[in-house]
Amino acid sequence: MLDERTVVAYLKERKIFSPQSNPSVEILAGGVSNVVLAITGEGKDLVLKQALPELKVKAKWVADQRRALVEARAIQVLHDLTPENVPKLYDVDPARFILLIERAPRTTTNWKDDLLAGVIHPEIGAELGSILGQWHKTSSHDAVILDEFREDSLFEQLRINPFYRTLAAKHENIAVRIGTLIEELEGSKTCLVHGDYSPKNILVTKNLQAIVLDFEVAHTGNPVFDLAFLLGHLLCKQEYFTDLEKKKAVAKTAIEFLMHYEARLEASAAPTLTWHVATIALARVDGISPVNYLDNTAQMNLRNRTVAILDSKEPPSLTEVFLNL
């Protein structure tokens, strides 16, 4: 595994930098599943990611390092579809599970940090819905892409087990419902799914343009997962706030996201969407990688809220989920 002391020599070996160069190296935050380093020099501003064999969370979470190669290819495919919203791939080393991408402008902010700071722009939700709708719509009609990204083990390791099966084991009263959601995800695979469409993986430019990162869970799968993953995180953010206006702003962001997604897709989301949303949000409390910004009261409120949704006979609408404050 590379670190800030060895990365420059490695990049010179790969002829990314000249032998006489002296690029600067910066350790970037947020590397739960990867070594993440920024390297700048000779007119290049790059981010290096190397997949870790075991994720840095409290519970043991082993994941196949091949996900780096999946991410590299997904970046190529989705950059071609939305070049303004996906960074460009610069290099990939399949032997060491390393990829290099162009670094986003330094003036960008992380959307998760913005949301938790109370900086909530619903139009970002709208843009993210349009981006995702385009990815899902285009890839669903591309047999080559669908065949290339058929992958079960990585999604099982990184999403089904920690977010669905862990909850089913902890919450016996909703285990059957979660089981049906797993069957849906595993049984209907119609487009290229990002797999980690989360606020932490989205940068926001000064003019409120979204840049999406982290494609290592990309796979041919069920589009409802991407929708639910982002909306589940927004539900956690909504529970974080006590201020009613901020709660409403998060709700508007969620509703704008789904509305623009369906408009770009020219179809409706799966009727089970809010059950998946509740599962993702509950997993951020009772799964193996809980969020760190909810206090005990907020965790209890979110748990009660999501279990009630999952226990309902019919899935509520998204508006009911986010505006039932």
mmCIF file of all heavy atoms in Angstrom, residues 98-123:
data_model
loop_
_atom_site.group_PDB
_atom_site.id
_atom_site.type_symbol
_atom_site.label_atom_id
_atom_site.label_comp_id
_atom_site.label_asym_id
_atom_site.label_seq_id
_atom_site.Cartn_x
_atom_site.Cartn_y
_atom_site.Cartn_z
ATOM 1 N N ILE A 98 -4.889 0.750 -8.172
ATOM 2 C CA ILE A 98 -4.687 2.188 -8.010
ATOM 3 C C ILE A 98 -5.262 2.914 -9.211
ATOM 4 O O ILE A 98 -5.101 2.463 -10.353
ATOM 5 C CB ILE A 98 -3.186 2.517 -7.876
ATOM 6 C CG1 ILE A 98 -2.609 1.920 -6.586
ATOM 7 C CG2 ILE A 98 -2.943 4.024 -7.916
ATOM 8 C CD1 ILE A 98 -1.096 1.990 -6.502
ATOM 9 N N LEU A 99 -5.942 4.021 -8.946
ATOM 10 C CA LEU A 99 -6.367 4.870 -10.049
ATOM 11 C C LEU A 99 -6.048 6.320 -9.732
ATOM 12 O O LEU A 99 -5.965 6.719 -8.565
ATOM 13 C CB LEU A 99 -7.861 4.692 -10.335
ATOM 14 C CG LEU A 99 -8.868 4.972 -9.222
ATOM 15 C CD1 LEU A 99 -9.443 6.366 -9.408
ATOM 16 C CD2 LEU A 99 -9.988 3.952 -9.237
ATOM 17 N N LEU A 100 -5.827 7.076 -10.794
ATOM 18 C CA LEU A 100 -5.556 8.510 -10.701
ATOM 19 C C LEU A 100 -6.657 9.254 -11.429
ATOM 20 O O LEU A 100 -6.996 8.901 -12.567
ATOM 21 C CB LEU A 100 -4.223 8.855 -11.360
ATOM 22 C CG LEU A 100 -2.929 8.707 -10.562
ATOM 23 C CD1 LEU A 100 -1.750 8.936 -11.502
ATOM 24 C CD2 LEU A 100 -2.877 9.673 -9.402
ATOM 25 N N ILE A 101 -7.214 10.271 -10.795
ATOM 26 C CA ILE A 101 -8.204 11.114 -11.455
ATOM 27 C C ILE A 101 -7.799 12.572 -11.310
ATOM 28 O O ILE A 101 -7.013 12.933 -10.419
ATOM 29 C CB ILE A 101 -9.621 10.918 -10.871
ATOM 30 C CG1 ILE A 101 -9.649 11.261 -9.368
ATOM 31 C CG2 ILE A 101 -10.123 9.509 -11.116
ATOM 32 C CD1 ILE A 101 -11.045 11.235 -8.760
ATOM 33 N N GLU A 102 -8.310 13.381 -12.195
ATOM 34 C CA GLU A 102 -8.061 14.817 -12.088
ATOM 35 C C GLU A 102 -8.785 15.374 -10.871
ATOM 36 O O GLU A 102 -9.938 15.024 -10.615
ATOM 37 C CB GLU A 102 -8.513 15.522 -13.363
ATOM 38 C CG GLU A 102 -7.637 15.194 -14.559
ATOM 39 C CD GLU A 102 -7.973 16.009 -15.785
ATOM 40 O OE1 GLU A 102 -9.076 16.571 -15.837
ATOM 41 O OE2 GLU A 102 -7.122 16.084 -16.694
ATOM 42 N N ARG A 103 -8.105 16.229 -10.129
ATOM 43 C CA ARG A 103 -8.683 16.793 -8.915
ATOM 44 C C ARG A 103 -9.691 17.884 -9.255
ATOM 45 O O ARG A 103 -9.500 18.666 -10.185
ATOM 46 C CB ARG A 103 -7.577 17.366 -8.033
ATOM 47 C CG ARG A 103 -8.048 17.798 -6.662
ATOM 48 C CD ARG A 103 -6.886 18.230 -5.795
ATOM 49 N NE ARG A 103 -7.329 18.530 -4.429
ATOM 50 C CZ ARG A 103 -6.515 18.870 -3.440
ATOM 51 N NH1 ARG A 103 -5.200 18.942 -3.666
ATOM 52 N NH2 ARG A 103 -6.990 19.123 -2.228
ATOM 53 N N ALA A 104 -10.757 17.923 -8.499
ATOM 54 C CA ALA A 104 -11.768 18.972 -8.680
ATOM 55 C C ALA A 104 -11.187 20.318 -8.249
ATOM 56 O O ALA A 104 -10.217 20.380 -7.490
ATOM 57 C CB ALA A 104 -13.005 18.647 -7.857
ATOM 58 N N PRO A 105 -11.777 21.421 -8.715
ATOM 59 C CA PRO A 105 -11.298 22.753 -8.296
ATOM 60 C C PRO A 105 -11.251 22.883 -6.775
ATOM 61 O O PRO A 105 -12.143 22.373 -6.072
ATOM 62 C CB PRO A 105 -12.334 23.700 -8.909
ATOM 63 C CG PRO A 105 -12.887 22.958 -10.077
ATOM 64 C CD PRO A 105 -12.902 21.511 -9.678
ATOM 65 N N ARG A 106 -10.245 23.572 -6.283
ATOM 66 C CA ARG A 106 -10.071 23.708 -4.821
ATOM 67 C C ARG A 106 -11.212 24.489 -4.173
ATOM 68 O O ARG A 106 -11.383 24.439 -2.949
ATOM 69 C CB ARG A 106 -8.745 24.411 -4.520
ATOM 70 C CG ARG A 106 -7.517 23.787 -5.158
ATOM 71 C CD ARG A 106 -7.288 22.347 -4.705
ATOM 72 N NE ARG A 106 -6.137 21.763 -5.367
ATOM 73 C CZ ARG A 106 -4.893 21.839 -4.905
ATOM 74 N NH1 ARG A 106 -4.637 22.496 -3.796
ATOM 75 N NH2 ARG A 106 -3.903 21.261 -5.565
ATOM 76 N N THR A 107 -11.950 25.228 -4.977
ATOM 77 C CA THR A 107 -13.030 26.045 -4.426
ATOM 78 C C THR A 107 -14.304 25.244 -4.175
ATOM 79 O O THR A 107 -15.270 25.779 -3.618
ATOM 80 C CB THR A 107 -13.362 27.197 -5.379
ATOM 81 O OG1 THR A 107 -13.635 26.667 -6.689
ATOM 82 C CG2 THR A 107 -12.201 28.177 -5.460
ATOM 83 N N THR A 108 -14.328 23.971 -4.572
ATOM 84 C CA THR A 108 -15.524 23.169 -4.330
ATOM 85 C C THR A 108 -15.660 22.867 -2.838
ATOM 86 O O THR A 108 -14.687 22.867 -2.079
ATOM 87 C CB THR A 108 -15.491 21.840 -5.102
ATOM 88 O OG1 THR A 108 -14.329 21.101 -4.698
ATOM 89 C CG2 THR A 108 -15.485 22.054 -6.596
ATOM 90 N N THR A 109 -16.878 22.596 -2.429
ATOM 91 C CA THR A 109 -17.154 22.174 -1.057
ATOM 92 C C THR A 109 -17.801 20.797 -1.093
ATOM 93 O O THR A 109 -18.357 20.382 -2.111
ATOM 94 C CB THR A 109 -18.093 23.165 -0.346
ATOM 95 O OG1 THR A 109 -19.308 23.314 -1.106
ATOM 96 C CG2 THR A 109 -17.434 24.519 -0.182
ATOM 97 N N ASN A 110 -17.722 20.094 0.016
ATOM 98 C CA ASN A 110 -18.349 18.780 0.114
ATOM 99 C C ASN A 110 -19.819 18.948 0.492
ATOM 100 O O ASN A 110 -20.152 19.662 1.440
ATOM 101 C CB ASN A 110 -17.619 17.932 1.160
ATOM 102 C CG ASN A 110 -18.203 16.545 1.293
ATOM 103 O OD1 ASN A 110 -19.132 16.322 2.055
ATOM 104 N ND2 ASN A 110 -17.650 15.610 0.534
ATOM 105 N N TRP A 111 -20.691 18.297 -0.262
ATOM 106 C CA TRP A 111 -22.126 18.514 -0.049
ATOM 107 C C TRP A 111 -22.578 18.047 1.336
ATOM 108 O O TRP A 111 -23.421 18.686 1.973
ATOM 109 C CB TRP A 111 -22.932 17.810 -1.141
ATOM 110 C CG TRP A 111 -24.370 18.244 -1.199
ATOM 111 C CD1 TRP A 111 -24.854 19.500 -1.005
ATOM 112 C CD2 TRP A 111 -25.513 17.428 -1.470
ATOM 113 N NE1 TRP A 111 -26.225 19.526 -1.138
ATOM 114 C CE2 TRP A 111 -26.648 18.255 -1.437
ATOM 115 C CE3 TRP A 111 -25.665 16.076 -1.772
ATOM 116 C CZ2 TRP A 111 -27.936 17.774 -1.662
ATOM 117 C CZ3 TRP A 111 -26.950 15.586 -2.019
ATOM 118 C CH2 TRP A 111 -28.075 16.436 -1.954
ATOM 119 N N LYS A 112 -22.023 16.961 1.831
ATOM 120 C CA LYS A 112 -22.373 16.500 3.176
ATOM 121 C C LYS A 112 -22.036 17.571 4.209
ATOM 122 O O LYS A 112 -22.859 17.887 5.082
ATOM 123 C CB LYS A 112 -21.632 15.204 3.514
ATOM 124 C CG LYS A 112 -21.833 14.744 4.958
ATOM 125 C CD LYS A 112 -20.962 13.547 5.296
ATOM 126 C CE LYS A 112 -21.062 13.205 6.780
ATOM 127 N NZ LYS A 112 -20.198 12.046 7.137
ATOM 128 N N ASP A 113 -20.837 18.148 4.115
ATOM 129 C CA ASP A 113 -20.437 19.184 5.056
ATOM 130 C C ASP A 113 -21.353 20.409 4.946
ATOM 131 O O ASP A 113 -21.730 21.015 5.962
ATOM 132 C CB ASP A 113 -18.993 19.606 4.802
ATOM 133 C CG ASP A 113 -17.995 18.488 5.086
ATOM 134 O OD1 ASP A 113 -18.359 17.539 5.813
ATOM 135 O OD2 ASP A 113 -16.868 18.556 4.572
ATOM 136 N N ASP A 114 -21.701 20.763 3.707
ATOM 137 C CA ASP A 114 -22.610 21.900 3.502
ATOM 138 C C ASP A 114 -23.954 21.649 4.176
ATOM 139 O O ASP A 114 -24.494 22.516 4.877
ATOM 140 C CB ASP A 114 -22.832 22.147 2.010
ATOM 141 C CG ASP A 114 -21.589 22.681 1.307
ATOM 142 O OD1 ASP A 114 -20.645 23.093 2.003
ATOM 143 O OD2 ASP A 114 -21.585 22.668 0.065
ATOM 144 N N LEU A 115 -24.506 20.462 3.958
ATOM 145 C CA LEU A 115 -25.818 20.144 4.529
ATOM 146 C C LEU A 115 -25.783 20.205 6.051
ATOM 147 O O LEU A 115 -26.674 20.791 6.678
ATOM 148 C CB LEU A 115 -26.268 18.753 4.067
ATOM 149 C CG LEU A 115 -26.654 18.611 2.593
ATOM 150 C CD1 LEU A 115 -26.845 17.140 2.232
ATOM 151 C CD2 LEU A 115 -27.925 19.392 2.279
ATOM 152 N N LEU A 116 -24.773 19.594 6.652
ATOM 153 C CA LEU A 116 -24.695 19.583 8.112
ATOM 154 C C LEU A 116 -24.456 20.983 8.685
ATOM 155 O O LEU A 116 -24.809 21.249 9.833
ATOM 156 C CB LEU A 116 -23.583 18.634 8.571
ATOM 157 C CG LEU A 116 -23.840 17.144 8.323
ATOM 158 C CD1 LEU A 116 -22.633 16.322 8.738
ATOM 159 C CD2 LEU A 116 -25.088 16.676 9.064
ATOM 160 N N ALA A 117 -23.889 21.862 7.865
ATOM 161 C CA ALA A 117 -23.693 23.253 8.291
ATOM 162 C C ALA A 117 -24.957 24.083 8.078
ATOM 163 O O ALA A 117 -24.970 25.284 8.382
ATOM 164 C CB ALA A 117 -22.525 23.868 7.536
ATOM 165 N N GLY A 118 -26.004 23.457 7.556
ATOM 166 C CA GLY A 118 -27.255 24.172 7.318
ATOM 167 C C GLY A 118 -27.296 24.926 6.013
ATOM 168 O O GLY A 118 -28.214 25.729 5.789
ATOM 169 N N VAL A 119 -26.320 24.679 5.124
ATOM 170 C CA VAL A 119 -26.306 25.308 3.801
ATOM 171 C C VAL A 119 -27.029 24.355 2.844
ATOM 172 O O VAL A 119 -26.448 23.393 2.340
ATOM 173 C CB VAL A 119 -24.870 25.577 3.327
ATOM 174 C CG1 VAL A 119 -24.868 26.243 1.959
ATOM 175 C CG2 VAL A 119 -24.125 26.431 4.355
ATOM 176 N N ILE A 120 -28.307 24.605 2.634
ATOM 177 C CA ILE A 120 -29.168 23.655 1.922
ATOM 178 C C ILE A 120 -29.732 24.328 0.680
ATOM 179 O O ILE A 120 -30.529 25.272 0.773
ATOM 180 C CB ILE A 120 -30.309 23.170 2.837
ATOM 181 C CG1 ILE A 120 -29.738 22.592 4.138
ATOM 182 C CG2 ILE A 120 -31.171 22.123 2.118
ATOM 183 C CD1 ILE A 120 -30.771 22.387 5.232
ATOM 184 N N HIS A 121 -29.327 23.844 -0.487
ATOM 185 C CA HIS A 121 -29.803 24.365 -1.762
ATOM 186 C C HIS A 121 -30.576 23.270 -2.490
ATOM 187 O O HIS A 121 -29.961 22.355 -3.056
ATOM 188 C CB HIS A 121 -28.627 24.835 -2.632
ATOM 189 C CG HIS A 121 -27.849 25.973 -2.053
ATOM 190 N ND1 HIS A 121 -28.350 27.264 -1.987
ATOM 191 C CD2 HIS A 121 -26.603 26.012 -1.506
ATOM 192 C CE1 HIS A 121 -27.447 28.049 -1.437
ATOM 193 N NE2 HIS A 121 -26.380 27.318 -1.134
ATOM 194 N N PRO A 122 -31.898 23.319 -2.491
ATOM 195 C CA PRO A 122 -32.675 22.276 -3.165
ATOM 196 C C PRO A 122 -32.336 22.096 -4.637
ATOM 197 O O PRO A 122 -32.514 21.004 -5.190
ATOM 198 C CB PRO A 122 -34.122 22.759 -2.983
ATOM 199 C CG PRO A 122 -34.095 23.549 -1.715
ATOM 200 C CD PRO A 122 -32.762 24.254 -1.745
ATOM 201 N N GLU A 123 -31.807 23.143 -5.286
ATOM 202 C CA GLU A 123 -31.467 23.008 -6.700
ATOM 203 C C GLU A 123 -30.327 22.013 -6.927
ATOM 204 O O GLU A 123 -30.190 21.455 -8.029
ATOM 205 C CB GLU A 123 -31.112 24.365 -7.314
ATOM 206 C CG GLU A 123 -30.021 25.133 -6.612
ATOM 207 C CD GLU A 123 -30.545 26.139 -5.597
ATOM 208 O OE1 GLU A 123 -31.437 25.782 -4.810
ATOM 209 O OE2 GLU A 123 -30.038 27.284 -5.605
#
